[in-house]
Amino acid sequence: MTTTCPPGTDCIEPEVESALVESPGRGGLGVPIGLVVVLGAMQGLGPLALDTYLPSLPTIADDLGATASVTALTLTATLAGLAIGQVVLGPLSDAVGRRRPLLIGLAGFVVAAIACAVAPSVETLIALRFVLGFGAAAGMVSAMSIARDRSSGTAMARLLAALMLVTGAAPVLAPVIGGQLLRLTSWRGIFAMLAVLGAAIWLLAATRVPETLPVERRRRGGLGETLQTFGGLLRDRGYAGPLGALVLACAGLFGYLAGSPFLLQDVHGLSPQAYSGVFAVNTIGLVIISQVAGRVVDRVGPRVLLLGGTSIIAVGGLGLLAATLSDAGLLGVLPALFCVVSGMGLVFPSATTLALADHGDTAGSASALLGLGQFLAGALAAPLVGLGSDHALSMAVVIAVVTVASLAVALTATRQRAAVPALA
């Protein structure tokens, strides 16, 4: 094999470039199917790290002698790690390439998971969960950056829709996996399983994920340049519009995640098993719609899909508010929640495609801001749905406001992109 890469660099070998661009096994996604699977696993690591241990929270509180509220900080710490990790590792990958931050982050995830399994106190566990989230962020931001490196336009929308198959399935499977593991082991065994999973993904990334950012396209700089890059992205209407639509839509989704257990179990009397069934149906709807989006994006374009997705979630948000105010019961609530969740199958790939379309050289930073916005939306929306004495009404108001706002931002953003033929 002949190489043109200077020794000691991370440039892309010509054979790798050819395999990525010309492989007949791309399935219309712009990259080989095997790489899509690995990117999906990397993207799903964050949701798995976030949700797998949720069924064990009461046991963790008992074992470590902590209150429920303090134990819940382990979840907050993971969200913080996922958000901050993307902000740090995204720009870093623009400067040094995709592979090194990815492999170092995944290695940190494995070490943190092992340490969580032997944590002696809840304070230690909170700190380690932050590190765990930070490491998982390496997989999430790298997956989107590599997708942008290797595709664009409708091809990127198809690729992101394929990744949604894993990202959407992970939150459904994670609590189920955690609950079943508790039949066989303790909560510490769940973290041991996450360590094994992280090690397997590290091995796949090390052997199957090539460097996709050539040296000549890298951006060197410190904190100042990173902040300047972020500022430039936020001033770019073509980026900020889809970002705003996505962040507001995610606020509605996280409002659902935070408020639906109370709404469906305490207010409407569903059992935990029935609640899990509703949760699964809604997320399966998200996955199916994301796959439909990948098949039709060539014909309609990501602009139309973004408008369609934000319209669906806005209908869901308004429907939930109407059902709550009219006391319509589950017949009104369940279809509304299905719309709020499943519409994200159109919103996520289309908004991401539009936001990253003109930012190939800063895909890491641009992906990091997208991730940061989503997790900040979650951090803000979750406590808002619990305000007031009527939590069901608070949840409905929050979700209705942010989903309608997402549609309004999407209408503005898509008008601005209408002049771009490749994305129309």
Side-chain angles (χ1 to χ4, degrees):
M1 180 178 69
T2 302
T3 179
T4 58
C5 293
T9 70
D10 288 328
C11 76
I12 305 174
E13 303 288 355
E15 292 82 355
V16 173
E17 178 80 14
S18 175
L20 286 171
V21 177
E22 301 173 4
S23 169
R26 291 176 293 168
L29 300 174
V31 298
I33 297 299
L35 182 57
V36 174
V37 173
V38 179
L39 294 180
M42 290 159 45
Q43 183 82 351
L45 190 59
L48 285 172
L50 194 63
D51 297 338
T52 305
Y53 87 124
L54 291 181
S56 65
L57 281 177
T59 305
I60 292 174
D62 291 340
D63 286 355
L64 298 182
T67 64
S69 59
V70 171
T71 306
L73 291 177
T74 61
L75 184 61
T76 304
T78 313
L79 282 169
L82 285 165
I84 296 173
Q86 292 186 77
V87 171
V88 172
L89 296 172
L92 182 62
S93 73
D94 286 336
V96 304
R98 310 302 186 204
R99 276 177 58 84
R100 276 184 284 176
L102 169 62
L103 296 178
I104 292 172
L106 291 178
F109 176 92
V110 174
V111 172
I114 294 172
C116 284
V118 296
S121 67
V122 71
E123 292 80 10
T124 302
L125 185 61
I126 291 170
L128 291 172
R129 287 285 296 181
F130 174 86
V131 179
L132 192 77
F134 192 99
M140 300 182 72
V141 74
S142 295
M144 281 204 294
S145 300
I146 292 169
R148 178 59 185 87
D149 290 341
R150 301 314 317 153
S151 61
S152 62
T154 57
M156 181 167 63
R158 289 194 302 272
L159 176 55
L160 291 172
L163 295 182
M164 279 293 292
L165 183 63
V166 176
T167 308
V172 176
L173 295 176
V176 176
I177 293 171
Q180 294 304 312
L181 283 174
L182 287 176
R183 294 175 177 269
L184 305 173
T185 183
S186 68
W187 61 270
R188 298 183 186 274
I190 293 177
F191 287 109
M193 182 276 294
L194 287 174
V196 172
L197 179 63
I201 294 175
W202 184 94
L203 183 61
L204 286 173
T207 57
R208 299 299 299 273
V209 178
E211 179 55 65
T212 59
L213 186 66
V215 173
E216 61 271 15
R217 287 177 50 199
R218 298 178 188 176
R219 298 170 61 89
R220 304 267 178 194
L223 178 61
E225 182 174 335
T226 296
L227 295 177
Q228 184 177 5
T229 300
F230 285 166
L233 289 168
L234 293 174
R235 288 191 298 271
D236 178 2
R237 292 183 179 179
Y239 179 88
L243 169 66
L246 178 61
V247 167
L248 288 165
C250 285
L253 179 64
F254 278 104
Y256 157 79
L257 293 176
S260 60
F262 168 81
L263 176 67
L264 296 180
Q265 295 184 62
D266 292 349
V267 175
H268 294 287
L270 292 187
S271 67
Q273 292 74 27
Y275 168 74
S276 298
V278 171
F279 191 95
V281 168
N282 290 341
T283 310
I284 290 170
L286 181 151
V287 172
I288 291 174
I289 289 181
S290 72
Q291 300 316 295
V292 172
R295 293 181 180 276
V296 304
V297 66
D298 278 331
R299 294 193 294 273
V300 302
R303 287 195 313 116
V304 174
L305 294 182
L306 179 59
L307 285 176
T310 51
S311 297
I312 291 172
I313 64 173
V315 167
L318 292 173
L320 179 62
L321 181 59
T324 303
L325 291 174
S326 63
D327 197 19
L330 288 175
L331 288 178
V333 168
L334 292 182
L337 292 179
F338 181 83
C339 289
V340 169
V341 178
S342 62
M344 290 299 297
L346 296 180
V347 174
F348 179 81
S350 55
T352 303
T353 297
L354 291 169
L356 298 183
D358 300 327
H359 300 285
D361 291 343
T362 56
S365 299
S367 299
L369 267 185
L370 288 173
L372 174 64
Q374 293 172 59
F375 287 112
L376 285 180
L380 293 174
L384 288 178
V385 300
L387 292 178
S389 58
D390 189 341
H391 291 177
L393 182 59
S394 298
M395 173 184 172
V397 169
V398 169
I399 292 179
V401 168
V402 296
T403 53
V404 171
S406 177
L407 174 59
V409 172
L411 285 168
T412 302
T414 53
R415 280 199 297 268
Q416 293 168 348
R417 299 298 312 214
V420 184
L423 294 172

